[in-house]
Every structure is written in C-alpha cells, then in structure tokens.
Amino acid sequence: MSDAFRSQLRALPDFPENLPDFDTATAPADPVALFKLWLDQALAAGVLQPHACSLATADHNGQPSARMLILKDIDDDGWHFATSRASRKGRELAANPKAALNFYWPQLGRQVRVAGPVVELSAEASAADWDARPAADGSRNPDWQLYAVAATELEFWQARHDRPHIRHRFVNPLPGPAGSS
C-alpha cells in the first residue's frame, strides 16, 4: 500500500460528532427488544434501509463469503432472511449451516452482530415470503428458502470518540432468558 493511499484512508471522516449514549446497565435485558429499540432509533436518525445487513457464510472448506440482504423477521426460530437454495449462499448454508449477520448504522456509530446455527423454515413460510416480495407476480419459486439464524451470540457495539467503544454481548440468548456477558 502506498503512503499516499494510507494517508488518504486515515484522513477519511470518522463517526458523526454527536453519538448517542449507551449505558449497558440500563439496556433492555432482552437482546431482541434492544435490537428493535436501536432499529427504531436508526429510522429516526434517517438511516436508509436499517434492516439491511451483511450475511457471512462459509463453504464446506471454511472459505468465507459475505453479501448484503434484508432482515425479514425475528421470532422464536431466530433472525429470518431468505435466498435461493441454488445461490452461492444457499449452497454454503446446505454444506455448513452457520452464519453471522451484521447491521451497521454509521449515523449512530452502531453495529449489531448476530451469529449462530441456521435452520431452514417451512415450505409454507418460504412461499409466503416469496409472495410478499415487492416484485412478486404470483408465480412460485421452489428454490426460495426462508432461513433463521438461531442466535447463540449477539453483540451490540456503540462507537465513542474517546474510545474504548462499548460492547454489550449476549451469549446463548435464544431460546430462554437472555444471558449477558
């Protein structure tokens, strides 16, 4: 890497001047409730597509890949997303059913990371998700699959100008009561 490029990267803007406070002692004990609160705050801050996240998967050799997609729902099954079983991510999930999601809201200096095993949801739920897509034309896509990350780890990250950044981590939060560490 050239010194000029390194300098250019170092000079790029950081987080906004006014970052929200985050007190882990008063945060909701339920990570889903905390996520919904942060999502609402991202919407209020004007974040476009705050439900967009990166999905990281790995193939049978452990070679990672990541791409952006949309969170569909959160329920007792986990954090929902969908894709074609025939896509690269669908094939990777068939070979290695584990994934991580990462939400990033730069206007607030916040990230949320969700990781765990992935389960396929029902054919009915997958068909309903396909039908609910904005471009749905009534046709069926038998390869469309709704998945859920059964979160075994969640981390809420809040940037701070004075460092260190705040990390609030939940381990094995679903099912049952949230466990924070």
Side-chain angles (χ1 to χ4, degrees), residues 20-21 34 36-47 108 110:
D21 290 327
L34 180 54
K36 290 177 178 179
L37 174 66
W38 277 25
L39 182 73
D40 287 344
Q41 291 172 348
L43 282 165
V47 175
L108 300 171
R110 288 181 170 169

Side-chain angles (χ1 to χ4, degrees), residues 21-30 34 38 110 155-158 160 165-170 180-181:
D21 290 327
F22 179 50
D23 181 0
T24 60
T26 60
D30 175 5
L34 180 54
W38 277 25
R110 288 181 170 169
E155 183 178 81
F156 293 79
W157 184 90
Q158 175 65 63
R160 291 176 47 154
H165 304 302
I166 299 168
R167 287 176 168 79
H168 188 48
R169 195 165 168 246
F170 295 84
S180 178
S181 64

Side-chain angles (χ1 to χ4, degrees), residues 16-167:
E17 185 175 320
N18 295 316
L19 293 172
D21 290 327
F22 179 50
D23 181 0
T24 60
T26 60
D30 175 5
V32 173
L34 180 54
F35 178 81
K36 290 177 178 179
L37 174 66
W38 277 25
L39 182 73
D40 287 344
Q41 291 172 348
L43 282 165
V47 175
L48 298 177
Q49 291 190 314
H51 59 321
C53 59
S54 66
L55 169 72
T57 57
D59 66 16
H60 65 282
N61 292 320
Q63 179 65 37
S65 64
R67 74 289 285 152
M68 299 299 293
L69 50 72
I70 299 295
L71 180 69
K72 303 289 187 141
D73 197 3
I74 306 171
D75 65 13
D76 290 340
D77 291 319
W79 299 61
H80 298 202
F81 66 93
T83 191
S84 170
R85 282 189 290 275
S87 70
R88 178 177 176 175
K89 58 188 166 291
R91 292 189 310 272
E92 289 173 349
L93 289 167
N96 186 0
K98 296 176 184 148
L101 304 171
N102 194 71
F103 299 84
Y104 179 53
W105 304 310
Q107 295 91 328
L108 300 171
R110 288 181 170 169
Q111 296 182 56
V112 177
R113 188 174 53 83
V114 180
V118 175
V119 296
E120 289 186 4
L121 300 181
S122 71
E124 296 79 17
S126 298
D129 183 73
W130 177 259
D131 289 342
R133 291 170 56 94
D137 62 3
S139 63
R140 294 288 179 247
N141 181 345
D143 288 331
W144 193 251
Q145 181 62 54
L146 189 61
Y147 296 92
V149 176
T152 56
E153 181 183 359
L154 288 107
E155 183 178 81
F156 293 79
W157 184 90
Q158 175 65 63
R160 291 176 47 154
H161 290 292
D162 62 350
R163 310 264 195 297
H165 304 302
I166 299 168
R167 287 176 168 79

